[in-house]
Amino acid sequence: MLEFEKNVWNDSPSAIVAGVDEAGRGPLAGPVFAAAVSMGPEVAERMISGPLCGLTDSKRLSEKDRNRFFETITGSGCIYFSAGKADPEEIDSIDIRRATILAMKRALLGLECGLPDMVLVDGLPVPGLPSPSRAIVKGDSLSFLIAAASVVAKVSRDRFMAQLDAQYPQYGFAVNKGYGTAAHLRALAKFGPSPVHRRSFAPVAMSMQPTLGL
């Protein structure tokens, strides 16, 4: 899980390396989140064999383990982390791909260690990041720092959606996290979209169409 990070550190031991991942590209409601996580080689070695042993892609972890890893990452005091988001209005304005990149930029710019010398990002190449980057397909399962970022992004977004659930309880955001479940689609048909729905997404746009009387 540290192979990609070590490739950078072997060439430049003092390089700042960060992993970046996103959460929430597909939902019908709520923001898209991204997170950046950075730590030095000594901290990474200690964490991967200690409190973060077993860390992997957040989608492969139980909610209990995600929360446990999240608390370790954000509470250790020796790991730099930052979360950024793009709101539904921005998603509708510039499209989900650009909004995801915007969230990634915000996460990177929020790192207290400064801009990384190298960013490891999950999936395909991401243009326009403020640091050099390397894309790794299935990186959230292959890179320790990307896996850490995937957990921070996922847990941060899930907790944000729970807050939105308190404002808009009829949609079940605490359970569906904004994804288009059958119950969510029924609520959308009944109540119409909330202010946090993504109006450029087809099911939401369809729910705004007037019903023609016969």
Side-chain angles (χ1 to χ4, degrees):
M1 285 287 282
L2 277 174
E3 176 185 353
F4 295 99
E5 292 83 349
K6 287 180 177 179
N7 286 340
V8 181
W9 288 325
N10 287 341
D11 291 335
S12 181
S14 62
I16 300 173
V17 184
V20 170
D21 201 6
E22 54 78 23
R25 285 184 62 137
L28 306 180
V32 59
F33 265 71
V37 174
S38 179
M39 62 188 91
E42 297 83 5
V43 174
E45 290 283 7
R46 185 169 76 249
M47 288 290 173
I48 199 170
S49 59
L52 294 181
C53 180
L55 176 67
T56 187
D57 172 15
S58 62
K59 296 186 292 296
R60 298 170 58 187
L61 297 169
S62 67
E63 182 177 3
K64 179 180 178 181
D65 284 340
R66 281 198 301 269
N67 284 318
R68 175 170 60 87
F69 287 137
F70 178 87
E71 297 303 331
T72 297
I73 294 165
T74 60
S76 71
C78 57
I79 298 174
Y80 296 99
F81 67 93
S82 173
K85 65 182 176 70
D87 292 322
E89 296 84 358
E90 292 174 309
I91 294 170
D92 291 337
S93 175
I94 61 176
D95 77 39
I96 185 60
R97 177 177 173 273
R98 292 186 179 91
T100 301
I101 295 173
L102 179 60
M104 290 179 172
K105 289 179 181 178
R106 288 169 174 167
L108 287 166
L109 291 170
L111 283 172
E112 291 188 2
C113 60
L115 283 175
D117 300 299
M118 176 58 67
V119 174
L120 304 177
V121 61
D122 181 45
L124 300 176
V126 179
L129 294 180
S131 296
S133 63
R134 176 178 180 182
I136 304 169
V137 176
K138 299 189 183 299
D140 46 12
S141 298
L142 299 173
S143 160
F144 186 60
L145 290 178
I146 296 177
S150 77
V151 166
V152 173
K154 169 68 173 168
V155 174
S156 296
R157 187 178 188 279
D158 284 356
R159 294 181 179 184
F160 188 87
M161 294 306 295
Q163 295 174 8
L164 290 183
D165 183 76
Q167 298 179 54
Y168 310 103
Q170 64 269 40
Y171 299 100
F173 291 149
V175 176
N176 60 49
K177 307 301 188 293
Y179 284 89
T181 64
H184 186 183
L185 292 174
R186 287 195 297 270
L188 193 58
K190 181 177 181 180
F191 300 107
S194 74
V196 297
H197 276 91
R198 303 174 182 179
R199 283 161 166 72
S200 57
F201 280 40
V204 181
M206 289 177 62
S207 74
M208 296 187 292
Q209 298 298 319
T211 301
L212 298 178
L214 298 178

